[in-house]
Amino acid sequence: MGLNRNVSLMTALRYKGQGPFLTYILHRIGGLGMAIFITVHLLASFLSGKGGHFINAIYENWVFQIFIFFCVLFHAINGLRITILDLFPKLIPYHRQAITIEWVAFLAIYGFAVFTIIRTGLGG
Amino acid sequence: MEITIKIFRYDPEKDTRGHYETYVVEGDENDRVLDVLELVKGKTDGSLAFRRSCAHGVCGSDAMRINGRNHLACKTLVRDVGANITVEPVLGLKVKKDLVVDMDPFFDNYKKMLPYLINESPLPADGRERLQSPEDRARFDESTKCILCAACTTSCPSYWANGNYYGPAAIVTAHRFIFDSRDEGASERLHILSETDGTVRCHTAYNCTEACPRDIKITKAIGEVKMAMVTGKLD
């Protein structure tokens, strides 16, 4: 007798793992976002008429571009950090510093990208 | 001071699912969460079930989620978590009653790591102990500190998703012997850890390192084991 061991997604997300766990979650959101983007993108290329135009209109929307750029950039930079720490385990004790550097690099590049997307989006 | 503690409750003889009950006790900011649980059990509700033994952070009995994160109740002070405390059982293991979880799967994984010295070589000429330099001892010093409280394993999202994963604590145990210069079972353990439920399931969320009450750099230990598997070197 006893409660089963299953951990729901919401329970898992509520775990207070702090900074490293946040990057772990965002990494998966980024990966999922890219997978959906590529799937629908492929679908759009096979669709003709209104369906294809509708999907293309979403892609061309600057709000969507901000989202997908977040997914791609965060996934790439976080993946790079994970790869470096995997290759050099002696650096792992400095993972918090590595995450700080990652956020600085991400925010600098992403901030510039968002600024450019918004300026282009609003400027036409 | 007044401490409000919300505790996960589950009685397998009455409940089909867990629920929370809130208690208000009079305590001190320097009390440990374990003291508060003892107050609730001793003065308010004797049916409350939780594990405790040494109460000094050595036995590893009282790992639980305190305010959403794994801690040892005996090492967590009220002043560090505030006067509003939520206590829940650790995740990923079956809840037997209230805060008591079934530790059998955890110890089954521990046993799979062959947690004992393997050395078939004859004893040294003097027939006494197998000597080891301080440098060789330092190589695995950190992983000897593990108290098997399961705070790491039950904070790991890979373990939540798949209970067959050996988990961080088991890998730390393996690390303790793999990098012991007196041990000869490293290849056997690395072979076990190279299986589907071994180190490949570690996705470096670092929850284990953050949760460890002994401050063991668990993700580093797992990384070293991974590297030993890839390179075949133990230095």
Side-chain angles (χ1 to χ4, degrees):
Chain A
M1 290 247 281
L3 289 180
N4 68 38
R5 64 169 300 280
N6 295 346
V7 180
S8 71
L9 179 63
M10 289 316 293
T11 305
L13 291 175
R14 276 202 298 268
Y15 184 83
K16 291 183 181 159
Q18 300 183 330
F21 191 43
L22 177 67
T23 62
Y24 172 88
I25 293 168
L26 292 177
H27 193 74
R28 272 131 195 93
I29 291 172
L32 191 64
M34 283 191 291
I36 293 170
F37 168 70
I38 292 166
T39 307
V40 180
H41 187 56
L42 286 173
L43 190 67
S45 62
F46 287 109
L47 285 175
S48 56
K50 282 186 180 174
H53 288 302
F54 176 70
I55 294 171
N56 283 335
I58 294 173
Y59 288 164
E60 285 163 13
N61 185 290
W62 59 274
V63 177
F64 179 81
Q65 287 178 7
I66 287 174
F67 167 72
I68 200 64
F69 202 81
F70 171 86
C71 291
V72 174
L73 191 66
F74 190 85
H75 201 82
I77 293 179
N78 192 52
L80 188 64
R81 173 187 64 85
I82 292 169
T83 306
I84 291 170
L85 295 183
D86 271 354
L87 289 173
F88 305 99
K90 283 185 177 144
L91 295 177
I92 290 178
Y94 306 103
H95 70 277
R96 282 194 168 275
Q97 290 86 338
I99 288 170
T100 305
I101 294 168
E102 173 192 332
W103 275 113
V104 170
F106 170 77
L107 290 175
I109 302 171
Y110 187 61
F112 178 71
V114 168
F115 172 75
T116 308
I117 292 169
I118 292 176
R119 198 176 61 169
T120 311
L122 296 180
Chain B
M1 69 184 286
E2 201 171 75
I3 300 166
T4 305
I5 185 163
K6 187 175 146 188
I7 305 174
F8 179 91
R9 303 298 308 268
Y10 168 72
D11 184 344
E13 292 177 353
K14 288 191 291 192
D15 304 327
T16 52
R17 52 186 297 181
H19 62 280
Y20 291 86
E21 283 179 27
T22 303
Y23 305 88
V24 179
V25 293
E26 204 54 44
D28 188 88
E29 65 167 8
N30 291 319
D31 282 342
R32 301 162 304 173
V33 173
L34 181 65
D35 297 324
V36 180
L37 289 171
E38 295 280 19
L39 276 173
V40 172
K41 187 173 174 69
K43 293 189 174 175
T44 314
D45 189 345
S47 69
L48 177 65
F50 57 92
R51 283 198 179 98
R52 57 94 74 196
S53 187
C54 78
H56 286 81
V58 178
C59 72
S61 303
D62 58 351
M64 52 189 76
R65 258 183 307 151
I66 298 170
N67 286 357
R69 190 177 165 203
N70 283 5
H71 292 276
L72 287 186
C74 62
K75 284 189 80 177
T76 309
L77 299 179
V78 169
R79 68 169 182 228
D80 294 330
V81 290
N84 290 308
I85 306 168
T86 302
V87 182
E88 299 158 295
V90 289
L91 296 169
L93 293 170
K94 269 172 80 168
V95 177
K96 292 177 114 177
K97 189 178 185 223
D98 298 337
L99 303 172
V100 177
V101 294
D102 179 9
M103 294 287 280
D104 286 352
F106 173 79
F107 284 112
D108 287 345
N109 284 334
Y110 168 72
K111 288 173 200 160
K112 285 176 192 164
M113 296 303 116
L114 315 175
Y116 41 81
L117 191 81
I118 298 173
N119 192 326
E120 301 298 331
S121 302
L123 282 171
D126 62 3
R128 298 177 68 185
E129 73 262 44
R130 301 175 196 277
L131 295 177
Q132 185 172 52
S133 70
E135 292 76 26
D136 285 343
R137 176 62 173 75
R139 182 70 186 83
F140 62 95
D141 189 52
E142 197 155 286
S143 41
T144 63
K145 294 179 193 165
C146 179
I147 55 172
L148 297 172
C149 64
C152 58
T153 297
T154 57
S155 70
C156 174
S158 296
Y159 186 75
W160 298 338
N162 183 348
N164 294 324
Y165 171 39
Y166 299 141
I171 302 174
V172 165
T173 302
H175 180 279
R176 183 254 171 270
F177 290 101
I178 287 169
F179 292 94
D180 187 336
S181 60
R182 301 163 299 180
D183 187 88
E184 295 174 346
S187 60
E188 203 175 340
R189 293 191 186 91
L190 289 174
H191 179 72
I192 294 166
L193 285 169
S194 67
E195 290 169 3
T196 322
D197 297 318
T199 52
V200 72
R201 292 208 183 275
C202 170
H203 300 299
T204 59
Y206 291 94
N207 277 3
C208 53
T209 305
E210 302 287 334
C212 181
R214 305 284 290 182
D215 293 330
I216 301 171
K217 295 176 187 72
I218 300 172
T219 316
K220 178 173 178 257
I222 297 174
E224 288 174 351
V225 172
K226 282 180 183 171
M227 196 51 89
M229 285 164 62
V230 173
T231 62
K233 293 177 187 167
L234 299 178
D235 48 6

